[in-house]
Amino acid sequence: MTRPLDRDRSLEELERDCWPAPSVGDTRLIATAHALRRRPIGELTVEDMRLLIGQDIGLPHLLPLAVEVLRENPMAEGHMYEGDLLSAVLTRNPSVWAEFSELGPELRGIVSKLTGLPPDLQQKVERFLVP
């Protein structure tokens, strides 16, 4: 069962895990991920979710939000390309979906209706749909 989302709380608050500040030599990606973990999840953009999900950060809280977005617009786009959020979601380890008994089937329903996808995204869809 999907748990209710408290969109006013950050990943740090929801996970009760405050990461230390990034080091001076850390990459921009690391610094961005740290900053996004402090933002309320309800304020995260498609790009923010794409970035965090792609790094396997906050998945129990962000995958339900991402599926909400994908339900309305399966080809939602962050800053990379059309469908980049879907790509990030589809490429998570398949074991992640065992935790989300309702989201996995819903995502399968969403992607099974998609047609005319770019070849790279189509391959990701096909890999996701194969049990």
Short mmCIF file of all heavy atoms in Angstrom, two decimals, residues 57-109:
data_model
loop_
_atom_site.label_atom_id
_atom_site.label_comp_id
_atom_site.label_asym_id
_atom_site.label_seq_id
_atom_site.Cartn_x
_atom_site.Cartn_y
_atom_site.Cartn_z
N ILE A 57 17.94 8.43 -4.63
CA ILE A 57 17.78 9.20 -3.40
C ILE A 57 16.29 9.40 -3.13
O ILE A 57 15.55 9.86 -3.99
CB ILE A 57 18.48 10.58 -3.51
CG1 ILE A 57 19.99 10.38 -3.69
CG2 ILE A 57 18.18 11.46 -2.31
CD1 ILE A 57 20.75 11.65 -4.02
N GLY A 58 15.85 9.04 -1.94
CA GLY A 58 14.49 9.31 -1.51
C GLY A 58 13.41 8.55 -2.26
O GLY A 58 12.27 9.01 -2.33
N LEU A 59 13.73 7.40 -2.80
CA LEU A 59 12.78 6.68 -3.65
C LEU A 59 11.43 6.40 -2.97
O LEU A 59 10.40 6.57 -3.63
CB LEU A 59 13.40 5.38 -4.17
CG LEU A 59 14.59 5.54 -5.10
CD1 LEU A 59 15.09 4.18 -5.56
CD2 LEU A 59 14.28 6.44 -6.28
N PRO A 60 11.38 6.00 -1.71
CA PRO A 60 10.06 5.74 -1.12
C PRO A 60 9.14 6.95 -1.13
O PRO A 60 7.91 6.81 -1.16
CB PRO A 60 10.38 5.31 0.32
CG PRO A 60 11.78 4.82 0.27
CD PRO A 60 12.47 5.66 -0.80
N HIS A 61 9.71 8.13 -1.15
CA HIS A 61 8.90 9.35 -1.13
C HIS A 61 8.73 9.96 -2.52
O HIS A 61 7.71 10.58 -2.79
CB HIS A 61 9.55 10.37 -0.18
CG HIS A 61 9.81 9.80 1.17
ND1 HIS A 61 8.81 9.56 2.08
CD2 HIS A 61 10.96 9.37 1.74
CE1 HIS A 61 9.33 9.02 3.16
NE2 HIS A 61 10.63 8.89 2.98
N LEU A 62 9.72 9.77 -3.37
CA LEU A 62 9.69 10.42 -4.68
C LEU A 62 9.03 9.60 -5.78
O LEU A 62 8.43 10.17 -6.69
CB LEU A 62 11.10 10.82 -5.11
CG LEU A 62 11.79 11.82 -4.18
CD1 LEU A 62 13.17 12.16 -4.71
CD2 LEU A 62 10.94 13.07 -4.00
N LEU A 63 9.13 8.29 -5.72
CA LEU A 63 8.48 7.48 -6.76
C LEU A 63 6.97 7.69 -6.80
O LEU A 63 6.41 7.83 -7.89
CB LEU A 63 8.84 6.00 -6.62
CG LEU A 63 10.26 5.64 -7.04
CD1 LEU A 63 10.54 4.17 -6.77
CD2 LEU A 63 10.53 5.98 -8.49
N PRO A 64 6.28 7.77 -5.66
CA PRO A 64 4.85 8.06 -5.74
C PRO A 64 4.56 9.42 -6.39
O PRO A 64 3.62 9.55 -7.18
CB PRO A 64 4.39 8.04 -4.28
CG PRO A 64 5.37 7.16 -3.59
CD PRO A 64 6.69 7.43 -4.29
N LEU A 65 5.38 10.42 -6.08
CA LEU A 65 5.21 11.74 -6.71
C LEU A 65 5.47 11.66 -8.21
O LEU A 65 4.74 12.25 -9.01
CB LEU A 65 6.16 12.76 -6.09
CG LEU A 65 5.87 13.23 -4.69
CD1 LEU A 65 6.96 14.18 -4.21
CD2 LEU A 65 4.51 13.92 -4.62
N ALA A 66 6.51 10.95 -8.58
CA ALA A 66 6.85 10.82 -10.00
C ALA A 66 5.73 10.12 -10.77
O ALA A 66 5.38 10.53 -11.88
CB ALA A 66 8.17 10.07 -10.16
N VAL A 67 5.16 9.07 -10.19
CA VAL A 67 4.07 8.36 -10.87
C VAL A 67 2.85 9.27 -11.01
O VAL A 67 2.17 9.23 -12.04
CB VAL A 67 3.73 7.03 -10.16
CG1 VAL A 67 2.46 6.40 -10.72
CG2 VAL A 67 4.90 6.05 -10.30
N GLU A 68 2.61 10.13 -10.04
CA GLU A 68 1.53 11.13 -10.18
C GLU A 68 1.76 12.00 -11.41
O GLU A 68 0.85 12.25 -12.19
CB GLU A 68 1.46 12.04 -8.95
CG GLU A 68 0.79 11.45 -7.76
CD GLU A 68 0.72 12.43 -6.60
OE1 GLU A 68 0.95 13.65 -6.81
OE2 GLU A 68 0.44 11.98 -5.48
N VAL A 69 2.99 12.47 -11.57
CA VAL A 69 3.34 13.31 -12.72
C VAL A 69 3.17 12.51 -14.01
O VAL A 69 2.58 13.00 -14.98
CB VAL A 69 4.78 13.86 -12.59
CG1 VAL A 69 5.24 14.51 -13.89
CG2 VAL A 69 4.88 14.82 -11.43
N LEU A 70 3.69 11.29 -14.02
CA LEU A 70 3.64 10.46 -15.22
C LEU A 70 2.22 10.06 -15.59
O LEU A 70 1.92 9.86 -16.77
CB LEU A 70 4.53 9.23 -15.04
CG LEU A 70 6.01 9.53 -14.86
CD1 LEU A 70 6.77 8.27 -14.47
CD2 LEU A 70 6.59 10.17 -16.11
N ARG A 71 1.37 9.96 -14.61
CA ARG A 71 -0.04 9.65 -14.87
C ARG A 71 -0.65 10.75 -15.74
O ARG A 71 -1.41 10.48 -16.66
CB ARG A 71 -0.78 9.57 -13.53
CG ARG A 71 -2.20 9.08 -13.61
CD ARG A 71 -2.88 9.09 -12.23
NE ARG A 71 -2.13 8.33 -11.23
CZ ARG A 71 -1.85 8.77 -10.00
NH1 ARG A 71 -2.23 9.97 -9.60
NH2 ARG A 71 -1.18 8.00 -9.17
N GLU A 72 -0.29 11.98 -15.47
CA GLU A 72 -0.81 13.12 -16.22
C GLU A 72 -0.03 13.37 -17.51
O GLU A 72 -0.60 13.80 -18.51
CB GLU A 72 -0.76 14.39 -15.35
CG GLU A 72 -1.63 14.32 -14.12
CD GLU A 72 -3.10 14.14 -14.45
OE1 GLU A 72 -3.59 14.79 -15.39
OE2 GLU A 72 -3.75 13.31 -13.77
N ASN A 73 1.27 13.12 -17.47
CA ASN A 73 2.12 13.38 -18.63
C ASN A 73 3.28 12.39 -18.65
O ASN A 73 4.34 12.67 -18.07
CB ASN A 73 2.65 14.82 -18.59
CG ASN A 73 3.57 15.13 -19.76
OD1 ASN A 73 3.71 14.34 -20.69
ND2 ASN A 73 4.21 16.28 -19.71
N PRO A 74 3.10 11.24 -19.29
CA PRO A 74 4.15 10.23 -19.30
C PRO A 74 5.48 10.71 -19.87
O PRO A 74 6.53 10.17 -19.55
CB PRO A 74 3.57 9.10 -20.16
CG PRO A 74 2.11 9.31 -20.15
CD PRO A 74 1.90 10.78 -20.00
N MET A 75 5.43 11.73 -20.68
CA MET A 75 6.66 12.24 -21.29
C MET A 75 7.15 13.52 -20.61
O MET A 75 7.87 14.32 -21.20
CB MET A 75 6.44 12.47 -22.79
CG MET A 75 6.11 11.19 -23.56
SD MET A 75 7.38 9.91 -23.39
CE MET A 75 8.66 10.62 -24.41
N ALA A 76 6.79 13.69 -19.33
CA ALA A 76 7.23 14.86 -18.57
C ALA A 76 8.73 15.01 -18.71
O ALA A 76 9.48 14.04 -18.72
CB ALA A 76 6.83 14.71 -17.11
N GLU A 77 9.15 16.26 -18.80
CA GLU A 77 10.54 16.56 -19.14
C GLU A 77 11.17 17.46 -18.09
O GLU A 77 10.62 18.48 -17.71
CB GLU A 77 10.54 17.27 -20.50
CG GLU A 77 11.86 17.66 -21.02
CD GLU A 77 11.75 18.28 -22.41
OE1 GLU A 77 10.68 18.27 -23.01
OE2 GLU A 77 12.79 18.75 -22.88
N GLY A 78 12.35 17.03 -17.63
CA GLY A 78 13.18 17.89 -16.79
C GLY A 78 14.04 18.74 -17.70
O GLY A 78 13.54 19.35 -18.64
N HIS A 79 15.35 18.73 -17.46
CA HIS A 79 16.26 19.54 -18.27
C HIS A 79 17.03 18.74 -19.30
O HIS A 79 17.89 19.28 -19.99
CB HIS A 79 17.27 20.28 -17.38
CG HIS A 79 16.64 21.30 -16.50
ND1 HIS A 79 17.27 21.83 -15.42
CD2 HIS A 79 15.41 21.89 -16.53
CE1 HIS A 79 16.48 22.70 -14.82
NE2 HIS A 79 15.35 22.74 -15.47
N MET A 80 16.74 17.45 -19.42
CA MET A 80 17.53 16.61 -20.32
C MET A 80 16.83 16.40 -21.66
O MET A 80 17.35 16.80 -22.69
CB MET A 80 17.81 15.26 -19.66
CG MET A 80 18.54 15.35 -18.34
SD MET A 80 20.30 15.49 -18.51
CE MET A 80 20.71 13.90 -19.12
N TYR A 81 15.68 15.74 -21.64
CA TYR A 81 14.96 15.43 -22.87
C TYR A 81 13.53 15.01 -22.51
O TYR A 81 13.24 14.68 -21.36
CB TYR A 81 15.66 14.32 -23.67
CG TYR A 81 15.92 13.06 -22.87
CD1 TYR A 81 14.97 12.04 -22.77
CD2 TYR A 81 17.13 12.89 -22.20
CE1 TYR A 81 15.21 10.89 -22.03
CE2 TYR A 81 17.38 11.74 -21.46
CZ TYR A 81 16.42 10.75 -21.38
OH TYR A 81 16.66 9.63 -20.65
N GLU A 82 12.67 15.04 -23.50
CA GLU A 82 11.29 14.62 -23.28
C GLU A 82 11.29 13.17 -22.80
O GLU A 82 11.92 12.30 -23.40
CB GLU A 82 10.49 14.75 -24.58
CG GLU A 82 9.03 14.48 -24.40
CD GLU A 82 8.24 14.64 -25.68
OE1 GLU A 82 8.82 14.46 -26.78
OE2 GLU A 82 7.04 14.95 -25.59
N GLY A 83 10.61 12.93 -21.68
CA GLY A 83 10.54 11.59 -21.12
C GLY A 83 11.67 11.26 -20.16
O GLY A 83 11.81 10.11 -19.73
N ASP A 84 12.47 12.25 -19.76
CA ASP A 84 13.60 11.95 -18.88
C ASP A 84 13.18 11.52 -17.48
O ASP A 84 13.86 10.70 -16.85
CB ASP A 84 14.63 13.08 -18.85
CG ASP A 84 14.10 14.43 -18.40
OD1 ASP A 84 12.93 14.53 -17.98
OD2 ASP A 84 14.88 15.41 -18.47
N LEU A 85 12.05 12.00 -16.98
CA LEU A 85 11.56 11.52 -15.69
C LEU A 85 11.16 10.05 -15.80
O LEU A 85 11.52 9.23 -14.95
CB LEU A 85 10.39 12.36 -15.18
CG LEU A 85 9.79 11.89 -13.85
CD1 LEU A 85 10.81 11.96 -12.72
CD2 LEU A 85 8.55 12.72 -13.52
N LEU A 86 10.45 9.71 -16.85
CA LEU A 86 10.06 8.31 -17.08
C LEU A 86 11.30 7.43 -17.17
O LEU A 86 11.35 6.36 -16.58
CB LEU A 86 9.23 8.20 -18.36
CG LEU A 86 8.80 6.79 -18.76
CD1 LEU A 86 7.93 6.16 -17.68
CD2 LEU A 86 8.06 6.84 -20.09
N SER A 87 12.30 7.89 -17.87
CA SER A 87 13.54 7.12 -18.00
C SER A 87 14.16 6.88 -16.63
O SER A 87 14.58 5.75 -16.32
CB SER A 87 14.52 7.87 -18.90
OG SER A 87 15.73 7.17 -19.01
N ALA A 88 14.22 7.90 -15.80
CA ALA A 88 14.80 7.75 -14.47
C ALA A 88 14.01 6.74 -13.64
O ALA A 88 14.58 5.89 -12.96
CB ALA A 88 14.86 9.10 -13.75
N VAL A 89 12.70 6.81 -13.72
CA VAL A 89 11.84 5.90 -12.95
C VAL A 89 11.99 4.47 -13.46
O VAL A 89 12.13 3.53 -12.67
CB VAL A 89 10.37 6.38 -13.02
CG1 VAL A 89 9.42 5.33 -12.49
CG2 VAL A 89 10.20 7.69 -12.26
N LEU A 90 11.98 4.29 -14.76
CA LEU A 90 12.05 2.95 -15.33
C LEU A 90 13.37 2.24 -15.07
O LEU A 90 13.41 1.01 -15.05
CB LEU A 90 11.83 3.00 -16.85
CG LEU A 90 10.44 3.38 -17.33
CD1 LEU A 90 10.44 3.52 -18.85
CD2 LEU A 90 9.40 2.38 -16.87
N THR A 91 14.42 2.99 -14.87
CA THR A 91 15.74 2.38 -14.75
C THR A 91 16.15 2.12 -13.30
O THR A 91 17.30 1.75 -13.05
CB THR A 91 16.81 3.22 -15.46
OG1 THR A 91 16.76 4.57 -14.96
CG2 THR A 91 16.58 3.22 -16.96
N ARG A 92 15.24 2.26 -12.37
CA ARG A 92 15.55 1.88 -10.99
C ARG A 92 15.64 0.37 -10.91
O ARG A 92 15.04 -0.34 -11.71
CB ARG A 92 14.50 2.38 -10.00
CG ARG A 92 14.34 3.86 -9.84
CD ARG A 92 15.65 4.64 -9.64
NE ARG A 92 16.23 4.96 -10.94
CZ ARG A 92 17.54 5.00 -11.22
NH1 ARG A 92 18.42 4.75 -10.32
NH2 ARG A 92 17.99 5.28 -12.43
N ASN A 93 16.34 -0.11 -9.93
CA ASN A 93 16.48 -1.54 -9.72
C ASN A 93 15.08 -2.16 -9.59
O ASN A 93 14.25 -1.65 -8.84
CB ASN A 93 17.29 -1.80 -8.45
CG ASN A 93 17.63 -3.25 -8.26
OD1 ASN A 93 16.78 -4.12 -8.35
ND2 ASN A 93 18.89 -3.50 -7.99
N PRO A 94 14.80 -3.23 -10.32
CA PRO A 94 13.46 -3.84 -10.26
C PRO A 94 13.01 -4.22 -8.84
O PRO A 94 11.82 -4.20 -8.55
CB PRO A 94 13.60 -5.09 -11.13
CG PRO A 94 14.72 -4.79 -12.06
CD PRO A 94 15.66 -3.92 -11.28
N SER A 95 13.94 -4.48 -7.95
CA SER A 95 13.56 -4.84 -6.58
C SER A 95 12.87 -3.68 -5.86
O SER A 95 12.12 -3.90 -4.91
CB SER A 95 14.79 -5.30 -5.79
OG SER A 95 15.70 -4.23 -5.62
N VAL A 96 13.11 -2.45 -6.31
CA VAL A 96 12.47 -1.28 -5.69
C VAL A 96 10.95 -1.38 -5.80
O VAL A 96 10.22 -1.00 -4.89
CB VAL A 96 12.96 0.02 -6.38
CG1 VAL A 96 12.14 1.22 -6.00
CG2 VAL A 96 14.43 0.25 -6.06
N TRP A 97 10.46 -1.93 -6.91
CA TRP A 97 9.02 -1.96 -7.15
C TRP A 97 8.30 -2.96 -6.26
O TRP A 97 7.09 -2.86 -6.08
CB TRP A 97 8.75 -2.21 -8.63
CG TRP A 97 9.29 -1.06 -9.42
CD1 TRP A 97 10.44 -1.04 -10.15
CD2 TRP A 97 8.75 0.25 -9.48
NE1 TRP A 97 10.63 0.22 -10.67
CE2 TRP A 97 9.62 1.03 -10.28
CE3 TRP A 97 7.62 0.86 -8.94
CZ2 TRP A 97 9.39 2.37 -10.55
CZ3 TRP A 97 7.39 2.20 -9.21
CH2 TRP A 97 8.27 2.94 -10.00
N ALA A 98 9.01 -3.90 -5.66
CA ALA A 98 8.38 -4.84 -4.73
C ALA A 98 7.82 -4.10 -3.51
O ALA A 98 6.82 -4.51 -2.93
CB ALA A 98 9.38 -5.90 -4.29
N GLU A 99 8.46 -3.00 -3.16
CA GLU A 99 8.01 -2.19 -2.02
C GLU A 99 6.73 -1.41 -2.34
O GLU A 99 6.02 -1.00 -1.44
CB GLU A 99 9.12 -1.22 -1.61
CG GLU A 99 8.82 -0.44 -0.37
CD GLU A 99 9.96 0.48 0.02
OE1 GLU A 99 11.11 0.21 -0.36
OE2 GLU A 99 9.69 1.48 0.69
N PHE A 100 6.46 -1.22 -3.61
CA PHE A 100 5.33 -0.39 -4.04
C PHE A 100 4.31 -1.24 -4.78
O PHE A 100 4.22 -1.21 -6.00
CB PHE A 100 5.82 0.75 -4.92
CG PHE A 100 6.85 1.60 -4.25
CD1 PHE A 100 8.19 1.44 -4.51
CD2 PHE A 100 6.47 2.55 -3.31
CE1 PHE A 100 9.14 2.21 -3.88
CE2 PHE A 100 7.41 3.32 -2.66
CZ PHE A 100 8.74 3.16 -2.95
N SER A 101 3.52 -1.97 -4.03
CA SER A 101 2.60 -2.95 -4.62
C SER A 101 1.58 -2.30 -5.54
O SER A 101 1.07 -2.96 -6.45
CB SER A 101 1.90 -3.75 -3.53
OG SER A 101 1.16 -2.89 -2.68
N GLU A 102 1.26 -1.03 -5.35
CA GLU A 102 0.28 -0.35 -6.21
C GLU A 102 0.93 0.43 -7.34
O GLU A 102 0.37 0.55 -8.42
CB GLU A 102 -0.58 0.59 -5.37
CG GLU A 102 -1.41 -0.14 -4.32
CD GLU A 102 -1.98 0.78 -3.26
OE1 GLU A 102 -1.79 2.01 -3.35
OE2 GLU A 102 -2.60 0.27 -2.33
N LEU A 103 2.11 0.98 -7.08
CA LEU A 103 2.75 1.84 -8.07
C LEU A 103 3.31 1.08 -9.26
O LEU A 103 3.22 1.54 -10.39
CB LEU A 103 3.88 2.65 -7.43
CG LEU A 103 3.47 3.76 -6.48
CD1 LEU A 103 4.71 4.45 -5.93
CD2 LEU A 103 2.56 4.76 -7.17
N GLY A 104 3.90 -0.08 -9.01
CA GLY A 104 4.47 -0.86 -10.11
C GLY A 104 3.43 -1.19 -11.17
O GLY A 104 3.64 -0.89 -12.35
N PRO A 105 2.29 -1.77 -10.77
CA PRO A 105 1.26 -2.06 -11.77
C PRO A 105 0.71 -0.80 -12.45
O PRO A 105 0.42 -0.81 -13.64
CB PRO A 105 0.17 -2.76 -10.96
CG PRO A 105 0.89 -3.36 -9.81
CD PRO A 105 2.00 -2.39 -9.49
N GLU A 106 0.58 0.28 -11.68
CA GLU A 106 0.09 1.52 -12.29
C GLU A 106 1.08 2.02 -13.34
O GLU A 106 0.69 2.42 -14.44
CB GLU A 106 -0.14 2.60 -11.25
CG GLU A 106 -0.68 3.88 -11.88
CD GLU A 106 -1.04 4.96 -10.91
OE1 GLU A 106 -0.85 4.80 -9.69
OE2 GLU A 106 -1.53 6.00 -11.38
N LEU A 107 2.37 1.98 -13.02
CA LEU A 107 3.38 2.41 -13.98
C LEU A 107 3.37 1.50 -15.21
O LEU A 107 3.49 1.98 -16.34
CB LEU A 107 4.76 2.45 -13.33
CG LEU A 107 5.88 2.98 -14.20
CD1 LEU A 107 5.59 4.41 -14.67
CD2 LEU A 107 7.20 2.92 -13.44
N ARG A 108 3.19 0.21 -15.00
CA ARG A 108 3.09 -0.72 -16.14
C ARG A 108 1.93 -0.33 -17.05
O ARG A 108 2.03 -0.38 -18.27
CB ARG A 108 2.95 -2.16 -15.65
CG ARG A 108 4.24 -2.77 -15.23
CD ARG A 108 4.09 -4.23 -14.79
NE ARG A 108 5.37 -4.78 -14.40
CZ ARG A 108 6.01 -4.50 -13.27
NH1 ARG A 108 5.47 -3.71 -12.39
NH2 ARG A 108 7.18 -5.04 -13.01
N GLY A 109 0.80 0.03 -16.44
CA GLY A 109 -0.36 0.46 -17.22
C GLY A 109 -0.08 1.73 -18.01
O GLY A 109 -0.48 1.85 -19.17
#
